[in-house]
Amino acid sequence: MRQQPHVTGASRTPRKTAVRAAALVGSAAMVVLALQNGAATAAPAPHPSGAKAVALSAPARAAALKSAQRNAGAAARELGLGAREKLVVRDVIKDADGTVHTRYERTYAGLPVLGGDLVVHAAKNGSLKGVSKATTARISVPSTTATVSPAGAEKAALRAAGTAKATATTARKVVWAAAGKPVLAYESVVKGSRHDGTPSELHVITDARTGKRLHSFEAVDTGTGTSRYSGTVPLGTTAASGGYDLTDGGRGGHKTYDLNGGTTGTGTLFHDADDLWGDGTVTNRQTAAVDAAYGAAVTWDFYKAAFNRNGIAGDGKAAYSRVHYGNAYVNAFWNDSCFCMTYGDGANNADPLTSLDVAGHEMSHGLTAATAGLKYSRESGGLNEATSDIFGTSVEFFANNSADAGDYLIGEKIDINGDGTPLRYMDKPSRDGGSADYWSRTVGRLDVHYSSGVANHFFYLLSEGSGAKTVNGVSYNSPTYDGSTVTGIGRDKAAQIWYKALTTYFTSSTDYAGARTGTLQAAADLYGSGSAEYRAVAAAWTAVNVK
């Protein structure tokens, strides 16, 4: 059995520490509670277990973050962090039962600690329930003086990127703690483009004393979709300049732009005289915009309805969408730096990748960035991609649109393979010829779109169970690693468990062992540790060889 060090339960915390910690988390809990009772938006009835997150209005969330940051110094001391370490608040989530989950980044001697993030879980009365950590290593380096110059680190990063057209931003000094013993390092961001035209923002971590490359990960997350049509759909628009802009004022102000073949900037905001958009054909430039805007709206509504989340980042603000990227670009991508989604028009500019589950997939990369921050490489990268497939699929089912019925197939209508087959299969990922059905020690070496297969398979098994069945007219036959039979608990419960784990227990370095631990904890929170749901989570992970 692979051991997971990331989640430390309260049972492992000495009573003295737990009692002292109550003071530092209690004030934050009370502030959140007060704001929830006052300025918070209306919330649906709490989950029976009380573990489902409740929504905070933008002012309430801002106040909770500010309060948590005021208490960050005390939190650092009570958690036993070193004198040179500080905590920076990233997020605060409050459950219906009053539990507060505060997510922190860490600094050491003023330097960002990459891989040092953690989440503190506090009960309604302020007592410490546990801490989820990206690393259990003590954060310390012998010296913060680098031997390698920033320019040397930038050159090393450019060499690592392997392209002469790339440019590196100024290297920043950091402490690298995501793998083993923390070391002084540089983080350089190499910007350029990949062979298919997708923008690249490769983060390269270089040892500040030896110049050796320690790690690299991509910050531009890519994905594909299923269809360019969703039929006749409602759109959120705003009256402007004698007509209408494709700006959804009811969902955080989401805007849809036409890049018109460009690859930089935002392009031109879509505008129409009569508020009747597109005609369902690719020759009408508005058609792709309709699909992108509709997908963004349904995704927003899904997160609100399913998880009471107010926008992708939880702050009530929308991302934005760009369509008609490049020329015959066969992909779509999410970029954290612009908090935006971008869609190509597909092969021969005939199949824009603006379908419903593409929007759900891409926007869910933004959710991951705003919460766990799963690094886009190795096993954490596979979990990042799987999260987007899981919620993109959930969005498609949520829409209940007869023109694109929900399924567990990724890209089945775009025909990127040229033979009518889907891009990915959640019931048996290996059917695509590259994805992993089960965990192995080498799965982290795969491209993240293939290592995601393990989590995609887990989610399908947890939702629907193993064996042959038909859902919405599509036939599936999902195997298990050990020949076991898994009984599904339903997609809605499976999504609740994944979301809970992502937002409160996963960290930037969570691997498959950590995902098992986090989802089991989430199932215990939501349904009880002796529940059928908890047992199903354990069985589904065992069925994909994560034990």
Side-chain angles (χ1 to χ4, degrees), residues 273-331:
D274 59 8
D275 213 18
L276 298 175
W277 303 79
D279 62 6
T281 69
V282 295
T283 55
N284 186 313
R285 301 192 67 78
Q286 289 186 357
T287 297
V290 169
D291 286 335
Y294 170 67
V298 174
T299 302
W300 179 287
D301 291 347
F302 164 72
Y303 280 115
K304 182 65 175 176
F307 312 121
N308 210 13
R309 189 174 186 87
N310 190 24
I312 295 302
D315 58 2
K317 299 177 182 178
Y320 64 87
S321 298
R322 307 184 302 174
V323 299
H324 303 306
Y325 174 90
N327 180 34
Y329 176 64
V330 191
N331 216 330

Side-chain angles (χ1 to χ4, degrees), residues 509-540:
S509 63
T510 295
D511 56 11
Y512 274 111
R516 179 186 174 105
T517 301
T519 51
L520 282 170
Q521 184 62 60
D525 290 349
L526 290 168
Y527 306 107
S529 58
S531 65
E533 291 84 359
Y534 183 93
R535 294 193 299 272
V537 169

Side-chain angles (χ1 to χ4, degrees), residues 9 146 162 380 425:
S380 62
Y425 305 76

Side-chain angles (χ1 to χ4, degrees), residues 121-206:
H121 313 287
K124 181 178 180 179
N125 64 4
S127 62
L128 184 66
K129 297 177 69 173
V131 183
S132 302
K133 296 181 178 180
T135 180
T136 56
R138 179 174 176 270
I139 306 301
S140 179
V141 294
S143 172
T144 58
T145 300
T147 302
V148 176
S149 68
E154 291 173 30
K155 290 179 180 178
L158 285 168
R159 288 195 298 270
T163 172
K165 296 181 179 180
T167 59
T169 61
T170 302
R172 67 167 183 165
K173 196 185 298 183
V174 300
V175 173
W176 175 246
K181 184 178 180 180
V183 297
L184 187 68
Y186 285 108
E187 179 189 31
S188 303
V189 182
V190 182
K191 296 184 178 182
S193 61
R194 303 176 218 177
H195 68 279
D196 65 352
T198 303
S200 173
E201 291 185 9
L202 185 69
H203 290 239
V204 181
I205 311 300
T206 307

Side-chain angles (χ1 to χ4, degrees), residues 390-529:
I390 286 167
F391 289 133
T393 294
S394 298
V395 165
E396 190 177 74
F397 275 101
F398 170 79
N400 195 27
N401 187 318
S402 60
D404 187 6
D407 54 55
Y408 294 95
L409 307 176
I410 309 299
E412 76 277 7
K413 295 183 180 179
I414 287 179
D415 195 23
I416 287 179
N417 297 324
D419 58 4
T421 59
L423 185 63
R424 289 191 290 278
Y425 305 76
M426 298 184 82
D427 66 319
K428 188 178 181 181
S430 63
R431 291 176 64 191
D432 66 13
S435 291
D437 288 336
Y438 313 113
W439 182 86
S440 71
R441 294 185 181 279
T442 61
V443 76
R445 301 174 190 172
L446 298 175
D447 178 274
V448 294
H449 295 87
Y450 296 146
S451 62
S452 65
V454 179
N456 279 344
H457 194 190
F458 160 81
F459 182 79
Y460 175 86
L461 287 169
L462 184 61
S463 299
E464 304 291 347
S466 58
K469 54 183 54 66
T470 300
V471 181
N472 280 354
V474 179
S475 297
Y476 304 97
N477 194 355
S478 191
T480 58
Y481 180 80
D482 55 359
S484 61
T485 298
V486 176
T487 301
I489 61 174
R491 185 179 51 261
D492 291 343
K493 286 184 177 179
Q496 289 290 340
I497 290 169
W498 194 266
Y499 177 84
K500 179 73 174 177
L502 177 78
T503 56
T504 58
Y505 294 113
F506 289 2
T507 66
S508 61
S509 63
T510 295
D511 56 11
Y512 274 111
R516 179 186 174 105
T517 301
T519 51
L520 282 170
Q521 184 62 60
D525 290 349
L526 290 168
Y527 306 107
S529 58

Side-chain angles (χ1 to χ4, degrees), residues 366-377:
L367 169 70
T368 298
T371 56
L374 290 161
K375 292 293 185 289
Y376 204 61
S377 65

